[in-house]
Amino acid sequence: MRIFWLCLLGFICQQASAQEIEARAYSNAPTGINFVSGGIAQAKSGSYTLTTEAASLTRIINVFGQSGRISLLLPYAQLSGTGSLGPQNVNASAEGLSDPVVKISANLYGAPALSLEEFNNYKQDLIIGTSLAASIPWGKYNSEQMINVGANRSLIQPAIGASQAVGPWRLELAGMATIYTSNTSFLGSNTLSQNPIYSSEAHAIYYFQNTAYISADATYFMGGQKYVNGTAISGSQENWRFGSTFSYPINKHNSIRLTGSKGVYSNTNTDYTALGISWQYRWGGGL
């Protein structure tokens, strides 16, 4: 009986957000600006489908003279599909609040904290930044179910990255670690633990004159071996994903963003394909 499949859906639920390929993570923006967005995304792996509706709120802040941001993500998810566990079929059906995520980012170099008026004269060169994200285990979880949209554990994700401007292009590179706490109520009173996942991502972003942009995205991550009660149930992961992002400004307050990514290699058969669309509204800072 392959207990690995008991954890596969948990991987899809948590990794779809933890390993999102995020372009422009270390860009600059005027302080005092607020962003609120809402969208829907769908991730598919084999016969399993995870659909997530999410709302997020971000505020640009001054961090010791450089720009930074504080973000809160609130996701709601539906998971469905059918797989096999030994000779038995396993039907997946779960719906509810997923784990919220809080993220704090701070640029360290090249992105001074500026007002909206000052920002009009800003020209990017090299930006170096860092961030720390953490999930809060408030998602819906039933310890007697295999399938849940909440993880009943937290992830902590420190990261560092850089963005270099080359004409209308922005070339970005970032590295991060995803560290997991243990789930002590896995299928009853079992303990599910996991080694950290180490990842890197790269983006080539092209800006159009109307500030619309399109990016080619790639990420590589490795590690993350899982254990139940101290016994390894899966090997370390090694995964490559490629994707693209397109953002189009409707006016100075509103924009639409389309995202897509696909796993191109996985040594543990945990690839998934993801598509998403979101709307963003921005205000404040004299806008």
Side-chain angles (χ1 to χ4, degrees):
M1 184 175 292
R2 298 180 62 193
I3 197 170
F4 168 76
W5 288 103
L6 301 181
C7 300
L8 173 59
L9 297 184
F11 172 87
I12 299 172
C13 288
Q14 204 164 36
Q15 290 309 109
S17 59
Q19 297 297 338
E20 179 187 2
I21 312 178
E22 183 183 2
R24 301 179 73 247
Y26 302 104
S27 60
N28 199 1
T31 57
I33 293 287
N34 305 286
F35 301 88
V36 63
S37 65
I40 183 170
Q42 191 171 84
K44 291 188 176 183
S45 179
S47 64
Y48 295 106
T49 300
L50 173 68
T51 303
T52 302
E53 299 87 25
S56 67
L57 175 65
T58 298
R59 180 171 176 83
I60 308 300
I61 59 174
N62 184 329
V63 183
F64 302 111
Q66 296 285 315
S67 68
R69 62 188 68 191
I70 299 177
S71 301
L72 174 63
L73 173 69
L74 297 173
Y76 187 92
Q78 304 89 37
L79 179 63
S80 62
T82 301
S84 61
L85 180 63
Q88 297 180 335
N89 290 329
V90 179
N91 295 317
S93 180
E95 180 177 352
L97 178 71
S98 294
D99 298 333
V101 177
V102 178
K103 184 175 182 179
I104 300 175
S105 303
N107 289 314
L108 307 175
Y109 174 83
L114 303 171
S115 68
L116 181 62
E117 182 178 357
E118 294 170 329
F119 190 81
N120 290 331
N121 297 318
Y122 169 75
K123 300 295 183 182
Q124 181 185 330
D125 186 17
L126 172 65
I127 294 176
I128 299 174
T130 186
S131 64
L132 180 66
S135 68
I136 306 170
W138 291 349
K140 184 178 180 181
Y141 185 82
N142 184 338
S143 63
E144 301 303 318
Q145 292 183 182
M146 292 184 190
I147 312 305
N148 288 280
V149 291
N152 197 43
R153 60 175 181 167
S154 295
L155 65 82
I156 301 169
Q157 190 178 72
I160 187 167
S163 174
Q164 176 66 58
V166 182
W169 293 88
R170 301 294 182 270
L171 306 178
E172 298 183 347
L173 183 65
M176 62 202 71
T178 305
I179 303 163
Y180 299 89
T181 62
S182 296
N183 175 4
T184 57
S185 301
F186 177 67
L187 288 178
S189 58
N190 297 293
T191 297
L192 172 67
S193 57
Q194 184 173 357
N195 291 343
I197 290 178
Y198 303 98
S199 59
S200 59
E201 59 183 63
H203 310 275
I205 307 165
Y206 181 81
Y207 280 87
F208 300 93
Q209 289 187 352
N210 64 348
T211 71
Y213 70 86
I214 189 168
S215 70
D217 313 312
T219 185
Y220 169 79
F221 48 101
M222 60 181 293
Q225 185 170 12
K226 298 183 180 71
Y227 304 85
V228 171
N229 300 328
T231 301
I233 60 170
S234 67
S236 294
Q237 304 163 24
E238 185 179 6
N239 297 269
W240 278 98
R241 296 184 60 75
F242 293 113
S244 184
T245 303
F246 176 68
S247 176
Y248 186 82
I250 298 172
N251 53 42
K252 69 177 183 178
H253 292 288
N254 296 276
S255 63
I256 294 176
R257 190 176 73 157
L258 304 174
T259 60
S261 64
K262 179 176 176 57
V264 295
Y265 171 76
S266 172
N267 67 337
T268 53
N269 295 319
T270 49
D271 277 336
Y272 61 92
T273 300
L275 295 172
I277 183 171
S278 62
W279 159 85
Q280 183 183 81
Y281 177 80
R282 65 176 184 168
W283 80 97
L287 187 66

